């Protein structure tokens, strides 16, 4: 696959800054997962995020230094890979994504959709 086949990354809101504030090992994993998404492949740790139907919204989970970190992105749009949210999961109860994070993701997915339509 040539360079021209690599989709650009588009960062929504604070997602890039949030990723840059994570531990280096987490940044490496998420960076590699995003690169794979850009070339049309899927990281072994990437799974469809529940509650988004077939919207092409994927989540990569990485545990590091006692914390669980998540990166959520969408491959739903042809023009780019949109990074919706990078965050540390604070709760240790259950594996589900907390509702405030889901609400934020819904908002950011709408932003990505608007950007993709305008692209």
């Amino acid at each position: 696959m040539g360079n021209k086949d690599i989709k650009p990354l588009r960062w929504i809101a604070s997602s890039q800054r949030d990723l840059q504030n994570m531990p280096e090992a987490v940044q490496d994993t998420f960076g590699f997962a995003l690169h794979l998404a850009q070339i049309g492949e899927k990281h072994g740790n990437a799974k469809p995020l529940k509650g988004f139907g077939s919207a092409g919204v994927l989540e990569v989970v990485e545990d590091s230094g006692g914390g669980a970190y998540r990166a959520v992105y969408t491959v739903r749009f042809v023009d780019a890979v949109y990074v919706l949210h990078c965050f540390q999961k604070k709760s240790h109860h259950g594996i589900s994504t907390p509702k405030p994070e889901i609400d934020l993701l819904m908002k950011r997915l709408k932003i990505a959709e608007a950007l993709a339509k305008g692209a």
Side-chain angles (χ1 to χ4, degrees):
M1 193 176 251
N3 281 351
K4 67 183 185 336
D5 296 326
I6 296 177
K7 285 185 177 186
L9 280 180
R10 295 228 173 129
W11 301 90
I12 304 297
S14 64
S15 58
Q16 186 172 23
R17 186 176 63 243
D18 295 338
L19 176 60
Q20 290 168 341
N21 288 329
M22 291 180 176
E24 200 169 315
V26 174
Q27 290 183 46
D28 290 347
T29 299
F30 291 168
F32 183 58
L34 292 170
H35 172 72
L36 288 175
Q38 287 179 278
I39 61 173
E41 295 180 24
K42 194 172 118 188
H43 191 277
N45 288 354
K47 297 188 219 46
L49 186 61
K50 288 184 174 73
F52 286 84
S54 59
V57 177
L58 297 141
E59 173 182 55
V60 180
V61 179
E62 179 72 12
D63 290 321
S64 177
Y69 296 87
R70 306 213 175 163
V72 181
Y73 61 94
T74 184
V75 294
R76 176 179 179 186
F77 309 110
V78 295
D79 66 308
V81 173
Y82 289 86
V83 185
L84 302 175
H85 193 23
C86 296
F87 64 102
Q88 180 175 6
K89 186 171 179 282
K90 302 275 195 256
S91 168
H92 297 288
H93 305 293
I95 57 168
S96 64
T97 304
K99 184 171 178 357
E101 304 293 352
I102 293 291
D103 293 344
L104 183 65
L105 284 164
M106 290 292 200
K107 262 188 229 161
R108 290 184 177 183
L109 184 59
K110 285 189 172 88
I111 293 168
E113 193 167 8
L115 289 170
K117 283 181 180 167

